Amino acid sequence: MLLSSLNPATVAAGADVADAVRIDHAVLSRSDLVGAATSVAERVAGAHRVAVLATPTATTVLAVTGCLIAGVPVVPVPADVGAAERAHILADSGAQAWLGEKPSDTGGLAHIPVRLHARSWHRYAEPQPDATALIIYTSGTTGPPKGVVVSRRAIAADIDALAQAWQWTPDDTLVHGLPLYHVHGLVLGLLGSLRIGNRFVHTGKPKPDLYAAAGGSLYFAVPTVWSRIADDTEAATALRSARLLVSGSAPLPVPVFERLAELTGHRPIERYGSTESLITISTRADGERRPGWVGLPLTGIETRLLDESGSDVTHDGETIGQLHLKGATLFDGYLNRPDATAEVLDADGWYHTGDVAVIDADGMHRIVGRESVDLIKTGGFRVGAGEIEAALLGHAGVAEAAVVGVPDDDLGQRIVAYVVGDADPQALIEFVAQELSVHKRPREVRVVDSLPRNAMGKVLKKELAKWA
Ligand code: MLC
Ligand code: AMP
């Protein structure tokens, strides 16, 4: 079973836990989860795909869980989604209904509420491992986000490999406050807990004081959150009683690693992954935790590093190559986009990550950066420069637009937009927040007379980054 802890037979036979999930002031026992989620399953069974506005609530937990019980693919929609992005996700995914939270605009789709107190004890057969579990929309360098098709098999393989690497067991209490629409918060945090059978606490927001008060053993966060915790001595000190602190979704700066180690007594675990591959490389609970390095491939994952000509580069800890991955955790392609799938998933099954890395003689991996400057990681969110530029060009006051990611102590990278035209910068920031999503808004818009371009007319992004 994908969500093994929710096996109705074992729960009925006494394997109940009164506080399996705590989220948004709700406490769900395992039998609450089985009963209420099965009731959701009954309402959606047979649907082709459903959209879930993934707010951090019990409603979202039951919506996703119910779909997984019924074998209905879920399209998680960012809780802060804007109009254009929402319309794109609905049209592209072919979702037939909204399940759970009702969005401000349903786009003409039916809305199916989740009833927290409804119960069903119907038994569903476990869907095939190859069946699609989730379609997660994620940004590329250009164009609107693409739907990453993730199978049940990939999720199960990933959680099991992580359980081994982190000695993650039902005795853990996992705490995080991340969004429930990405791999980190949803697949690892929520589905991981429901597969392993540990207690899960969602703090609503990933704030240092809330992490400190949660009393967990296993903590997940993105580097922005770890950096804020490292700046809050009281919160950091409270994490001394934890077992493992795990960072991922973006590079953890070495000074943040060192300060966390000093204040919490734990050298954080770093792990690397993506929507397309799930988590593939990690340091281990019983292994070396080297600041700036993401560790060893998980069980079942192969990695390779290639130079420009496609030859393997030496594993000397210094020579940089393009990172490719292979294994059971990989996605099944981009929905409706065989062209885009073929660009990153080759005939031999290697996924071309778009990241550049080094590997040392012991097999330890360090992520050096991304091949393209047009893929930005801000606060752990992946955002394409191209989609923001397209959104800005949709504003009547903008004639030209170019977007860059600028180094930022808090967010890792900060989105900065340069525009030619006649518009108020604050109004443009608001415009992007409302069209795409709040987390994709530029933090700064600068109106300029012209953009730096080469002889071919292409914007010189490196030059722009220097301006910033
Ligand atoms: C600001 N706000 C606005 C607004 N401007 N609201 C509406 N319109 C506007 N124009 C509000 C926000 O809603 C929010 O309100 C508040 O201002 C601050 O929001 P923010 O600026 O977005 O917060 P920020 O401090 O920048 O967020 C930092 C962060 C966030 C770390 C909390 O970036 C985050 O949650 N990151 C996690 C990303 C993640 O999970 N990535 C995993 C990808 S999977 P309010 O009320 O809400 O405070 C992956 C695979 C892997 O990468 O390897 O894991
Ligand atoms: P996403 O699809 O949002 O999960 O983003 C995936 C990308 O995040 C990867 O391709 C990397 O560029 C980046 N990433 C994830 N984890 C790490 C990490 N530990 N260190 C550096 N980059 C990371």
Side-chain angles (χ1 to χ4, degrees):
M1 259 186 97
L2 177 57
L3 306 180
S4 345
S5 77
L6 301 187
N7 184 337
T10 49
V11 172
D16 203 358
V17 170
D19 52 350
V21 170
R22 286 178 184 272
I23 188 164
D24 189 32
H25 307 294
V27 182
L28 302 171
S29 70
R30 252 185 219 160
S31 56
D32 289 339
L33 282 163
V34 174
T38 307
S39 164
V40 170
E42 289 205 358
R43 309 187 75 197
V44 296
H48 175 54
R49 270 167 214 151
V50 300
V52 173
L53 186 70
T55 53
T57 55
T59 298
T60 298
V61 170
L62 294 173
V64 172
T65 310
C67 287
L68 292 175
I69 290 172
V72 174
V74 180
V75 182
V77 178
D80 63 348
V81 74
E85 191 159 310
R86 181 172 51 216
H88 166 70
I89 293 175
L90 287 190
D92 190 68
S93 68
Q96 291 165 306
W98 286 100
L99 175 65
E101 297 281 328
K102 189 172 183 183
S104 54
D105 177 355
T106 58
L109 291 192
H111 170 243
I112 306 171
V114 161
R115 299 193 192 118
L116 298 184
H117 299 290
R119 296 288 181 270
S120 162
W121 307 107
H122 182 79
R123 300 277 174 99
Y124 282 86
E126 178 70 3
Q128 292 301 311
D130 286 335
T132 298
L134 301 169
I135 298 171
I136 306 180
Y137 277 79
T138 192
S139 300
T141 52
T142 56
K146 299 187 285 285
V148 177
V149 179
V150 182
S151 69
R152 303 171 73 96
R153 183 198 304 282
I155 293 174
D158 205 46
I159 294 167
D160 292 351
L162 289 172
Q164 189 190 46
W166 299 343
Q167 299 174 358
W168 177 2
T169 73
D171 293 335
D172 276 308
T173 295
L174 194 165
V175 176
H176 82 66
L178 301 171
L180 290 181
Y181 43 85
H182 282 311
V183 164
H184 199 157
L186 177 63
V187 178
L188 264 60
L190 177 63
L191 303 185
S193 297
L194 297 181
R195 182 166 176 82
I196 304 285
N198 58 273
R199 288 181 171 80
F200 172 67
V201 178
H202 193 283
T203 59
K205 292 194 173 157
K207 294 203 168 143
D209 57 326
L210 300 175
Y211 272 44
S217 63
L218 182 57
Y219 282 83
F220 288 177
V222 296
T224 298
V225 173
W226 286 124
S227 163
R228 292 176 185 181
I229 291 173
D231 283 343
D232 182 334
T233 306
E234 201 180 324
T237 311
L239 299 187
R240 284 193 159 262
S241 58
R243 182 178 73 78
L244 217 58
L245 311 182
V246 183
S247 179
S249 304
L252 183 69
V254 171
V256 176
F257 181 113
E258 303 286 12
R259 180 139 176 85
L260 273 179
E262 187 192 323
L263 292 174
T264 66
H266 300 288
R267 293 166 74 75
I269 290 279
E270 258 218 85
R271 95 293 179 291
Y272 160 87
S274 67
T275 312
E276 289 87 341
S277 69
L278 306 185
I279 308 313
T280 48
I281 305 175
S282 181
T283 54
R284 278 155 206 273
D286 60 359
E288 183 191 358
R289 305 182 200 172
R290 196 188 299 171
W293 293 69
V294 295
L296 305 168
L298 296 179
T299 300
I301 301 292
E302 284 177 75
T303 64
R304 70 178 187 192
L305 274 189
L306 300 186
D307 64 16
E308 296 286 311
S309 66
S311 306
D312 288 303
V313 308
T314 45
H315 294 183
D316 58 6
E318 285 176 12
T319 313
I320 295 173
Q322 299 164 359
L323 178 64
H324 294 183
L325 303 164
K326 201 183 208 175
T329 65
L330 297 197
F331 70 137
D332 291 335
Y334 297 114
L335 189 70
N336 309 323
R337 295 293 307 276
D339 53 331
T341 305
E343 276 174 26
V344 297
L345 207 50
D346 69 26
D348 298 323
W350 288 99
Y351 168 58
H352 301 202
T353 63
D355 291 311
V356 288
V358 301
I359 304 178
D360 79 0
D362 299 325
M364 284 286 271
H365 290 56
R366 182 166 73 83
I367 307 300
V368 176
R370 292 217 48 105
E371 285 177 74
S372 170
V373 293
D374 284 334
L375 213 50
I376 300 167
K377 264 271 159 157
T378 181
F381 286 115
R382 171 169 152 186
V383 183
E387 61 182 322
I388 304 176
E389 289 158 4
L392 287 167
L393 288 169
H395 188 281
V398 175
E400 296 174 49
V403 166
V404 287
V406 176
D408 184 276
D409 282 346
D410 180 46
L411 296 170
Q413 283 186 297
R414 178 174 84 250
I415 301 173
V416 177
Y418 287 85
V419 300
V420 177
D422 180 19
D424 168 43
Q426 196 52 43
L428 291 180
I429 292 172
E430 202 54 46
F431 181 71
V432 175
Q434 284 172 13
E435 284 291 296
L436 300 183
S437 50
V438 172
H439 68 266
K440 289 184 177 171
R441 73 194 189 278
R443 299 300 165 121
E444 217 179 306
V445 171
R446 299 192 189 175
V447 181
V448 292
D449 291 335
S450 64
L451 296 173
R453 292 181 187 272
N454 65 15
M456 311 289 288
K458 195 169 179 295
V459 175
L460 297 165
K461 291 269 172 112
K462 290 201 172 126
E463 185 61 29
L464 270 188
K466 275 193 220 150
W467 288 11

